[in-house]
Amino acid sequence: KQEVTQIPAALSVPEGENLVLNCSFTDSAIYNLQWFRQDPGKGLTSLLLIQSSQREQTSGRLNASLDKSSGRSTLYIAASQPGDSATYLCAVPTSGTYKYIFGTGTRLKVLA
Amino acid sequence: GAGVSQSPSNKVTEKGKDVELRCDPISGHTALYWYRQRLGQGLEFLIYFQGNSAPDKSGLPSDRFSAERTGESVSTLTIQRTQQEDSAVYLCASSLFRTSGSSYNEQFFGPGTRLTVL
């Protein structure tokens, strides 16, 4: 059974800091891993998708890495800004299916 | 182009009534997902549709929940005899389904329907 854990649960940093969010999963037989952000009262916005054959993906100030063998992914945010404040979620499918399991998220607050 | 849309955005109902929630996926997306998010909690998978294949219903919490999808278009999630514990935001997502390419199976979410059962 796929289980997804995100650490830390909450994070508060001053503007400009570089930071790392962690996602770990128990079943490494995954097709891909996806990172999202969720703003309060809103739906989810896709940030990055990493296929199982890839080791990392970059979009602007965001970089996500994937280590399938150890069941880990990290989301790196460079030069954080107050607009980055949101909850960040990772999601992976259960082995052999497209049933996605979400972590409980990291609640990020970037202080101006 | 247009993203995933859901209606209604908010629904307040009385315990015991039936409700229908609607999802319009991105045009051309063959895969469609429903999730539930209770207040302060993570997303729970409910059901997955892919083309004409049998849906994966393994996440539906009880037989009061059902979902349908017409071809590769609109989906409706129906909750019968609603209970207070059904109060949550119901989120729909769609994706292309491919076996190769850099962005296959990337999920795009709608804004959700907030259901309140009194």
Side-chain angles (χ1 to χ4, degrees):
Chain A
K1 178 185 173 185
Q2 182 72 275
E3 294 180 3
V4 182
T5 304
Q6 291 188 247
I7 295 173
L11 184 61
S12 185
V13 300
E15 182 176 7
E17 275 204 7
N18 301 323
L19 51 99
V20 175
L21 308 182
N22 297 290
C23 172
S24 60
F25 46 94
T26 54
D27 184 346
S28 61
I30 60 173
Y31 299 112
N32 56 33
L33 181 147
Q34 196 166 358
W35 282 94
F36 299 88
R37 70 174 278 168
Q38 185 173 31
D39 295 279
K42 302 284 182 64
L44 276 68
T45 301
S46 176
L47 296 175
L48 288 164
L49 174 75
I50 310 179
Q51 304 300 348
S52 60
S53 58
Q54 298 174 319
R55 292 195 63 84
E56 66 177 74
Q57 278 281 8
T58 298
S59 176
R61 294 182 294 107
L62 305 179
N63 176 277
S65 66
L66 175 63
D67 184 343
K68 274 184 57 177
S69 60
S70 66
R72 292 181 182 175
S73 177
T74 60
L75 179 66
Y76 176 83
I77 303 176
S80 58
Q81 303 171 356
D84 295 332
S85 298
T87 296
Y88 289 80
L89 300 164
C90 67
V92 290
T94 301
S95 176
T97 76
Y98 287 94
K99 176 180 175 179
Y100 279 79
I101 306 300
F102 281 74
T104 50
T106 293
R107 194 169 59 254
L108 173 66
K109 187 169 185 179
V110 181
L111 305 171
Chain B
V4 178
S5 62
Q6 293 186 244
S7 61
S9 55
N10 281 285
K11 176 72 176 179
V12 180
T13 190
E14 294 179 347
K15 179 180 172 181
K17 297 284 179 89
D18 297 351
V19 295
E20 270 194 7
L21 312 180
R22 176 185 169 109
C23 173
D24 282 272
I26 293 172
S27 178
H29 280 194
T30 57
L32 186 146
Y33 303 79
W34 282 99
Y35 297 90
R36 177 172 72 177
Q37 187 174 32
R38 289 183 165 137
L39 186 63
Q41 299 189 20
L43 272 75
E44 299 173 72
F45 168 87
L46 295 178
I47 189 169
Y48 163 69
F49 295 91
Q50 166 48 34
N52 294 320
S53 302
D56 180 345
K57 303 181 181 181
S58 60
L60 294 177
S62 77
D63 59 8
R64 295 187 296 105
F65 287 72
S66 62
E68 293 184 351
R69 187 179 186 195
T70 307
E72 295 180 352
S73 59
V74 171
S75 175
T76 56
L77 176 69
T78 301
I79 308 174
Q80 295 178 310
R81 304 181 303 281
T82 52
Q83 304 293 314
Q84 289 181 332
E85 69 217 36
D86 300 333
S87 295
V89 175
Y90 289 82
L91 293 161
C92 173
S94 70
S95 70
L96 287 170
F97 184 85
R98 295 177 179 161
T99 56
S100 64
S102 62
S103 297
Y104 69 87
N105 302 323
E106 181 177 8
Q107 293 184 60
F108 295 90
F109 278 78
T113 293
R114 182 176 299 278
L115 175 66
T116 303
V117 182
L118 302 177

